[in-house]
């Protein structure tokens, strides 16, 4: 990285009970930033730790004015921790990295160089991931499905190590566990997303905060993201189509029985008749859900996305 391409960098570290890793992380990050940045801030977000991480980051703050600390009163999760970090970050470049030393701080300059090739977000790709197979295998499938469904060609959506252009983090809104979909949300805002292979290490201290349960939640989150990104402005277009198909089939079936009745054939309950009625009931339900989604999303539209555009006069 040359002198001209040096930036003011904000590094955000979400941490939950990572006391043992923090001294080494601080030391390695600071050394790297002093070499590569035009100035930096280190934003440490304590997500309700109970192991003394908070006291430790407070003491770092006292020694080093470039350190900023945020503390949650309880454990809210990685997404809220990142979201708070994003709010306060002032960097031209914003970097996120896990606190557990599984990511290598020395990969950061490479990610920033890649940003300079014209990307707005460069996400790490843990090609040789050092985690148990119980984690790496489901994660491969999860990444494949996410890429397939969203159409975004990445191998590793949920890498803790990412570099962003400063304005990007101000435009995305993450809550719950949506941090796994940051590249999708960023790309949907019209930014260019890329990836770069990064090294990965085994966890030295403490233990992983996420188990297999995350993958089930991941499926629900993927649905949420699909709605946020694709259908949020017009959910009734989707629900309405489904409702309309059900209604048409139900209507035709019942029309058939009506014609029979008019023709003087006595009616008695038949399986087809029940199916016809059920289809109409389902159509009404799906249609009403669509209408509610439409109403909700007109509110969400205002909250989630503000459009950036230019007017030439
Ligand atoms: N983390 C957090 N809040 C949580 C869970 C995790 O801030 O509720 C942090 C954690 O301290 C670490 C990063 O998020 O810095 C990634 O978590 P972890 O290493 O447990 O995930 P894994 O590497 O096993 O996917
Ligand atoms: Mg980890």
């Amino acid at each position: 990285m040359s002198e001209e391409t040096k930036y003011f960098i904000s590094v955000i570290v979400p941490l939950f009970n990572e006391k043992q890793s923090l001294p080494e992380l601080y030391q390695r990050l600071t050394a790297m930033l002093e070499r590569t940045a035009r100035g930096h801030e280190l934003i440490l977000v304590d997500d309700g730790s109970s192991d003394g991480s908070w006291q430790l980051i407070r003491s770092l703050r006292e020694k080093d004015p470039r350190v900023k600390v945020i503390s949650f009163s309880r454990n809210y999760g990685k997404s809220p921790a990142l979201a708070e970090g994003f709010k306060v970050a002032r960097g031209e470049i914003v970097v996120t990295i896990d606190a557990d030393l599984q990511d290598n701080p020395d990969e950061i300059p490479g990610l920033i160089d890649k940003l300079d090739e014209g990307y707005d977000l460069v996400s790490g790709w843990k090609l040789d991931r050092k985690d148990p197979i119980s984690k790496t295998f489901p994660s491969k499938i999860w990444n494949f499905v996410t890429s397939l469904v969203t159409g975004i060609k990445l191998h590793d959506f949920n890498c803790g190590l990412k570099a962003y252009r400063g304005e990007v983090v101000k435009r995305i809104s993450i809550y719950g566990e949506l941090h796994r979909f940051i590249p999708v949300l960023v790309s949907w805002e019209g930014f260019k997303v890329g990836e770069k292979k990064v090294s990965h290490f085994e966890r030295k201290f403490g233990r992983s905060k996420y188990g297999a349960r995350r993958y089930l939640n991941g499926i629900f989150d993927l649905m949420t993201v699909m709605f946020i990104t694709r259908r949020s402005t017009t959910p009734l277009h989707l629900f309405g189509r489904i409702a309309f198909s059900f209604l048409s089939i139900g209507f035709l079936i019942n029309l058939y029985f009506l014609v029979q009745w008019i023709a003087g054939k006595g009616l008695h309950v038949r399986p087809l008749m029940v199916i016809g009625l059920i289809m109409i009931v389902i159509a009404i339900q799906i249609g009403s859900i669509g209408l509610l989604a439409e109403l909700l999303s007109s509110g969400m539209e205002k909250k989630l996305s503000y459009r950036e555009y230019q007017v030439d006069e």
Side-chain angles (χ1 to χ4, degrees):
M1 200 179 295
S2 69
E3 271 310 308
E4 309 88 75
T5 53
K6 282 192 173 182
Y7 298 99
F8 184 88
I9 301 178
S10 303
V11 176
I12 303 173
V13 186
L15 59 110
F16 177 47
N17 293 339
E18 307 282 6
K19 185 180 162 196
Q20 288 160 298
S21 309
L22 287 169
E24 183 180 338
L25 181 82
Y26 168 77
Q27 185 259 320
R28 287 173 61 189
L29 271 175
T30 309
M32 183 281 301
L33 287 162
E34 282 171 356
R35 272 197 320 274
T36 31
R38 197 155 58 75
H40 75 265
E41 59 181 359
L42 186 57
I43 303 169
L44 303 172
V45 191
D46 174 22
D47 183 14
S49 300
S50 54
D51 69 341
S53 294
W54 171 238
Q55 286 75 1
L56 198 142
I57 63 174
R58 279 288 297 276
S59 72
L60 291 176
R61 158 132 197 73
E62 270 156 32
K63 280 197 311 226
D64 182 349
R66 297 166 301 187
V67 173
K68 304 209 157 49
V69 289
I70 299 176
S71 149
F72 287 176
S73 54
R74 65 166 172 85
N75 178 231
Y76 280 89
K78 191 175 173 182
S79 287
L82 288 174
E84 288 310 312
F86 288 161
K87 270 192 219 157
V88 301
R90 295 178 298 127
E92 296 157 88
I93 300 285
V94 175
V95 172
T96 61
I97 186 167
D98 285 355
D100 55 4
L101 298 169
Q102 290 198 269
D103 301 325
N104 182 357
D106 294 325
E107 297 282 3
I108 294 173
L111 295 178
I112 297 173
D113 283 341
K114 177 112 187 187
L115 278 179
D116 281 334
E117 289 171 23
Y119 292 93
D120 299 302
L121 160 62
V122 176
S123 186
W125 169 13
K126 310 180 288 281
L127 187 63
D128 183 16
R129 185 172 172 184
K130 300 285 195 297
D131 272 320
I133 180 121
S134 58
K135 238 171 158 162
T136 53
F137 181 67
S139 148
K140 277 217 169 74
I141 298 177
W142 184 86
N143 277 307
F144 175 77
V145 172
T146 306
S147 176
L148 195 75
V149 172
T150 61
I152 295 167
K153 303 271 171 290
L154 287 192
H155 295 85
D156 189 0
F157 285 80
N158 186 24
C159 184
L161 189 54
K162 288 184 168 61
Y164 309 74
R165 298 216 159 274
E167 66 264 29
V168 176
V169 302
K170 304 294 180 191
R171 287 267 297 276
I172 50 172
S173 146
I174 50 171
Y175 65 92
E177 293 182 3
L178 292 190
H179 60 271
R180 295 187 201 123
F181 296 95
I182 285 177
V184 183
L185 299 169
V186 168
S187 162
W188 177 63
E189 285 285 351
F191 292 113
K192 197 169 166 204
V193 177
E195 72 182 345
K196 185 171 187 305
K197 290 173 196 160
V198 293
S199 44
H200 193 243
F201 302 89
E202 272 172 36
R203 205 180 230 284
K204 267 204 214 165
F205 307 106
R207 54 192 177 82
S208 168
K209 312 298 181 297
Y210 292 105
R213 195 171 52 93
R214 66 158 127 187
Y215 293 103
L216 184 63
N217 290 339
I219 297 172
F220 300 134
D221 286 339
L222 182 60
M223 284 158 63
T224 309
V225 167
M226 292 311 294
F227 262 88
I228 291 178
T229 54
R230 294 237 177 124
R231 304 275 178 203
S232 71
T233 51
T234 55
L236 197 54
H237 286 189
L238 173 71
F239 285 105
R241 273 194 185 85
I242 302 173
F244 186 72
S245 332
F246 273 81
L247 192 69
S248 314
I249 300 171
F251 177 77
L252 286 177
I253 292 174
N254 286 297
L255 188 68
Y256 164 75
F257 286 109
L258 182 70
V259 171
Q260 294 237 310
W261 180 67
I262 290 172
K265 297 215 174 95
L267 286 188
H268 43 93
V269 179
R270 286 172 48 187
L272 187 64
M273 192 188 257
V274 177
I275 291 173
L277 288 173
I278 288 178
M279 288 200 134
I280 292 177
V281 174
I282 292 177
I284 294 171
Q285 285 192 328
I286 295 181
S288 330
I289 290 174
L291 205 59
L292 283 180
E294 186 78 34
L295 290 176
L296 270 180
S297 73
S298 62
M300 211 159 71
E301 169 81 348
K302 288 188 205 98
K303 224 174 80 189
L304 279 174
S305 81
Y306 70 90
R307 298 185 184 86
E308 190 174 288
Y309 55 90
Q310 280 180 323
V311 184
D312 286 332
E313 289 186 86

